[in-house]
Coordinates of all heavy atoms in Angstrom, one line a residue:
A5 N -111.0 63.8 -38.7 CA -112.4 63.4 -38.7 C -112.3 61.9 -38.7 O -113.2 61.2 -38.1 CB -113.0 63.9 -39.9
I6 N -111.4 61.3 -39.5 CA -111.3 59.8 -39.4 C -110.9 59.2 -38.1 O -111.6 58.2 -37.7 CB -110.2 59.4 -40.5 CG1 -110.6 59.7 -42.0 CG2 -109.9 57.9 -40.5 CD1 -109.7 59.5 -43.0
K7 N -110.0 59.9 -37.4 CA -109.6 59.5 -36.1 C -110.8 59.5 -35.2 O -111.0 58.5 -34.4 CB -108.4 60.2 -35.6 CG -107.1 59.9 -36.4 CD -105.9 60.6 -35.6 CE -105.9 62.0 -35.7 NZ -104.7 62.6 -35.1
R8 N -111.6 60.6 -35.2 CA -112.7 60.7 -34.4 C -113.8 59.6 -34.6 O -114.3 59.1 -33.7 CB -113.5 62.1 -34.5 CG -112.7 63.2 -33.8 CD -113.4 64.5 -33.8 NE -113.8 65.0 -35.1 CZ -113.1 65.8 -35.8 NH1 -111.9 66.2 -35.5 NH2 -113.5 66.2 -37.0
R9 N -113.9 59.3 -35.9 CA -114.9 58.2 -36.3 C -114.4 56.9 -35.7 O -115.2 56.0 -35.1 CB -115.1 58.1 -37.7 CG -115.9 57.1 -38.2 CD -117.4 57.4 -37.8 NE -118.3 56.3 -38.3 CZ -119.2 56.5 -39.3 NH1 -119.3 57.6 -40.0 NH2 -119.9 55.5 -39.6
L10 N -113.0 56.6 -35.9 CA -112.5 55.4 -35.4 C -112.5 55.3 -33.8 O -112.8 54.2 -33.3 CB -111.0 55.2 -35.9 CG -110.9 55.0 -37.4 CD1 -109.4 55.2 -37.8 CD2 -111.6 53.7 -37.9
D11 N -112.3 56.4 -33.2 CA -112.4 56.5 -31.7 C -113.8 55.8 -31.2 O -113.9 55.1 -30.3 CB -112.4 57.8 -31.2 CG -110.9 58.3 -31.2 OD1 -109.9 57.5 -31.4 OD2 -110.7 59.6 -31.0
G12 N -114.8 56.0 -32.0 CA -116.2 55.5 -31.7 C -116.3 54.1 -31.7 O -117.1 53.4 -31.2
Y13 N -115.3 53.3 -32.5 CA -115.5 52.0 -32.6 C -114.5 51.3 -31.5 O -114.7 50.1 -31.3 CB -114.9 51.5 -33.9 CG -115.8 51.9 -35.1 CD1 -115.3 52.8 -36.1 CD2 -117.0 51.5 -35.2 CE1 -116.0 53.1 -37.2 CE2 -117.9 51.9 -36.2 CZ -117.4 52.6 -37.2 OH -118.2 53.1 -38.3
R14 N -113.6 52.0 -30.9 CA -112.7 51.4 -30.0 C -113.4 51.2 -28.6 O -114.1 52.2 -28.2 CB -111.5 52.3 -29.7 CG -110.5 52.2 -31.0 CD -109.2 52.9 -30.7 NE -109.3 54.3 -30.4 CZ -109.1 54.7 -29.1 NH1 -108.8 53.9 -28.1 NH2 -109.2 56.1 -29.0
R15 N -113.3 50.1 -28.0 CA -113.9 49.8 -26.7 C -113.0 50.2 -25.5 O -113.5 50.3 -24.4 CB -114.2 48.3 -26.6 CG -115.3 47.8 -27.5 CD -115.6 46.3 -27.3 NE -114.4 45.5 -27.0 CZ -113.8 44.7 -27.8 NH1 -114.3 44.4 -28.9 NH2 -112.7 44.1 -27.4
S16 N -111.7 50.4 -25.8 CA -110.8 50.6 -24.8 C -109.6 51.4 -25.3 O -109.2 51.1 -26.5 CB -110.3 49.3 -24.1 OG -109.2 49.5 -23.3
D17 N -109.0 52.2 -24.5 CA -107.7 52.9 -24.9 C -106.5 52.0 -24.7 O -105.4 52.4 -25.0 CB -107.6 54.2 -24.1 CG -108.5 55.2 -24.5 OD1 -109.0 55.2 -25.6 OD2 -108.8 56.2 -23.7
N18 N -106.8 50.8 -24.1 CA -105.6 49.9 -23.7 C -105.5 48.7 -24.6 O -104.9 47.6 -24.1 CB -105.8 49.5 -22.2 CG -105.6 50.7 -21.3 OD1 -104.7 51.5 -21.5 ND2 -106.4 50.8 -20.3
L19 N -106.1 48.6 -25.7 CA -106.1 47.5 -26.7 C -105.4 48.0 -28.0 O -105.6 49.2 -28.4 CB -107.4 46.9 -26.9 CG -108.1 46.3 -25.7 CD1 -109.5 45.9 -26.1 CD2 -107.4 45.1 -25.1
F20 N -104.8 47.1 -28.7 CA -104.4 47.4 -30.1 C -105.6 47.1 -31.0 O -106.4 46.2 -30.8 CB -103.3 46.4 -30.4 CG -102.0 46.7 -29.8 CD1 -101.8 46.2 -28.4 CD2 -101.0 47.4 -30.3 CE1 -100.5 46.5 -27.8 CE2 -99.8 47.7 -29.7 CZ -99.6 47.3 -28.4
Y21 N -105.8 47.8 -32.0 CA -106.8 47.7 -33.1 C -106.3 47.8 -34.4 O -105.6 48.7 -34.8 CB -107.8 48.8 -32.9 CG -108.6 48.7 -31.6 CD1 -108.3 49.4 -30.6 CD2 -109.8 48.0 -31.6 CE1 -109.1 49.3 -29.3 CE2 -110.5 47.9 -30.4 CZ -110.2 48.5 -29.3 OH -110.9 48.4 -28.2
P22 N -106.4 46.7 -35.3 CA -106.1 46.8 -36.7 C -107.2 47.5 -37.3 O -108.3 47.3 -37.1 CB -105.9 45.4 -37.0 CG -106.9 44.6 -36.2 CD -106.8 45.4 -34.8
I23 N -106.8 48.3 -38.3 CA -107.8 49.1 -39.1 C -107.5 49.1 -40.6 O -106.3 49.4 -41.0 CB -107.7 50.6 -38.6 CG1 -108.0 50.7 -37.1 CG2 -108.9 51.4 -39.4 CD1 -107.5 51.9 -36.5
R24 N -108.5 48.7 -41.3 CA -108.3 48.7 -42.8 C -109.4 49.6 -43.4 O -110.6 49.4 -43.1 CB -108.5 47.3 -43.3 CG -108.4 47.2 -44.8 CD -108.6 45.8 -45.4 NE -108.6 45.8 -46.8 CZ -108.4 44.8 -47.5 NH1 -108.1 43.6 -47.1 NH2 -108.4 45.0 -48.9
I25 N -109.0 50.6 -44.2 CA -110.0 51.5 -44.8 C -109.7 51.4 -46.3 O -108.6 51.9 -46.8 CB -109.8 53.0 -44.3 CG1 -110.1 53.0 -42.8 CG2 -110.8 53.8 -45.1 CD1 -109.8 54.3 -42.2
D26 N -110.6 50.9 -47.0 CA -110.6 50.7 -48.6 C -111.4 51.9 -49.0 O -112.5 52.1 -48.6 CB -111.0 49.4 -49.0 CG -110.2 48.2 -48.6 OD1 -109.1 48.2 -49.0 OD2 -110.8 47.4 -47.9
G27 N -110.9 52.6 -50.1 CA -111.8 53.6 -50.6 C -111.1 54.4 -51.8 O -110.0 54.1 -52.2
A28 N -111.9 55.4 -52.2 CA -111.4 56.3 -53.2 C -111.1 57.6 -52.4 O -112.1 58.1 -51.6 CB -112.5 56.6 -54.2
F29 N -110.0 58.1 -52.4 CA -109.5 59.2 -51.6 C -109.2 60.4 -52.4 O -108.5 60.3 -53.4 CB -108.3 58.9 -50.8 CG -108.4 57.7 -49.9 CD1 -108.1 56.3 -50.3 CD2 -108.8 57.9 -48.6 CE1 -108.3 55.3 -49.5 CE2 -109.0 56.8 -47.7 CZ -108.7 55.5 -48.2
K30 N -109.8 61.5 -52.1 CA -109.6 62.7 -52.8 C -108.2 63.1 -52.7 O -107.6 63.7 -53.6 CB -110.6 63.9 -52.2 CG -110.5 65.1 -53.0 CD -111.5 66.1 -52.4 CE -111.4 67.5 -53.0 NZ -112.2 68.5 -52.5
H31 N -107.6 63.0 -51.5 CA -106.2 63.4 -51.3 C -105.6 62.5 -50.2 O -106.2 62.4 -49.1 CB -106.1 64.8 -50.9 CG -104.7 65.4 -50.6 ND1 -104.5 66.2 -49.6 CD2 -103.6 65.2 -51.2 CE1 -103.2 66.4 -49.5 NE2 -102.6 65.8 -50.6
V32 N -104.4 62.0 -50.4 CA -103.8 61.2 -49.3 C -102.3 61.7 -49.4 O -101.6 61.7 -50.4 CB -103.7 59.7 -49.6 CG1 -102.9 59.0 -48.5 CG2 -105.1 59.2 -49.6
R33 N -101.9 62.3 -48.3 CA -100.5 62.8 -48.0 C -99.7 61.7 -47.3 O -100.2 61.4 -46.1 CB -100.4 64.1 -47.3 CG -99.0 64.5 -47.1 CD -98.9 65.9 -46.7 NE -98.0 66.5 -47.8 CZ -97.8 67.7 -48.0 NH1 -98.4 68.6 -47.3 NH2 -97.0 68.0 -49.0
T34 N -98.6 61.2 -47.8 CA -97.8 60.2 -47.1 C -96.3 60.6 -47.0 O -96.0 61.6 -47.7 CB -98.0 58.8 -47.9 OG1 -97.2 59.0 -49.1 CG2 -99.4 58.4 -48.1
R35 N -95.6 59.9 -46.3 CA -94.2 60.1 -46.3 C -93.5 58.8 -46.3 O -94.0 57.7 -45.8 CB -93.8 60.9 -45.1 CG -94.2 60.2 -43.8 CD -93.4 60.8 -42.6 NE -93.8 60.0 -41.4 CZ -93.2 58.9 -41.1 NH1 -92.3 58.3 -41.8 NH2 -93.5 58.2 -39.9
A36 N -92.2 58.8 -46.6 CA -91.4 57.6 -46.6 C -89.9 58.0 -46.2 O -89.4 59.0 -46.9 CB -91.4 56.8 -47.8
V37 N -89.3 57.4 -45.2 CA -87.9 57.8 -44.9 C -87.1 57.0 -45.9 O -87.3 55.9 -46.4 CB -87.7 57.5 -43.5 CG1 -88.5 58.3 -42.4 CG2 -87.8 56.0 -43.2
S38 N -85.9 57.7 -46.1 CA -84.8 57.0 -46.8 C -83.8 56.5 -45.8 O -83.6 57.0 -44.7 CB -84.2 58.1 -47.7 OG -85.1 58.5 -48.7
P39 N -82.9 55.6 -46.2 CA -81.9 55.1 -45.3 C -81.1 56.3 -45.0 O -80.6 57.1 -45.8 CB -81.1 54.1 -46.1 CG -82.1 53.6 -47.2 CD -82.9 54.8 -47.5
P40 N -80.8 56.6 -43.7 CA -79.9 57.8 -43.2 C -78.5 57.5 -43.6 O -78.1 56.4 -43.7 CB -80.2 57.8 -41.8 CG -80.5 56.4 -41.4 CD -81.3 55.9 -42.5
K41 N -77.9 58.6 -43.8 CA -76.4 58.6 -44.2 C -75.6 58.3 -42.8 O -76.0 58.6 -41.7 CB -76.0 60.0 -44.7 CG -76.6 60.3 -46.0 CD -76.2 61.7 -46.5 CE -76.8 61.9 -47.7 NZ -76.9 63.3 -48.1
N42 N -74.6 57.4 -43.1 CA -73.7 57.1 -42.0 C -74.4 56.4 -40.8 O -74.1 56.6 -39.6 CB -72.9 58.3 -41.4 CG -72.1 58.9 -42.6 OD1 -71.6 58.2 -43.4 ND2 -72.1 60.3 -42.6
H43 N -75.5 55.7 -41.1 CA -76.2 54.9 -40.0 C -76.7 55.9 -38.9 O -76.6 55.6 -37.8 CB -75.4 53.8 -39.4 CG -75.1 52.8 -40.5 ND1 -76.0 52.0 -41.1 CD2 -73.8 52.5 -41.1 CE1 -75.4 51.2 -41.9 NE2 -74.1 51.5 -42.0

């Protein structure tokens, strides 16, 4: 739903867009990689 809303603000599919969303989030699922073993 957030992506669909953001799509409405983009003027082109060929440009970079920085996006900042400040808020109170009911749930945010994130991930972080760890350094891999043996490079």
Side-chain angles (χ1 to χ4, degrees):
I6 292 171
K7 290 189 295 185
R8 284 191 302 273
R9 178 69 179 252
L10 293 172
D11 285 344
Y13 295 118
R14 291 190 299 106
R15 296 183 320 250
S16 171
D17 289 338
N18 292 318
L19 297 173
F20 289 85
Y21 290 92
I23 302 155
R24 176 177 176 164
I25 302 174
D26 296 298
F29 300 90
K30 183 177 178 182
H31 178 224
V32 178
R33 172 167 243 169
T34 67
R35 62 162 184 80
V37 296
S38 298
K41 295 178 180 161
N42 303 320
H43 298 290

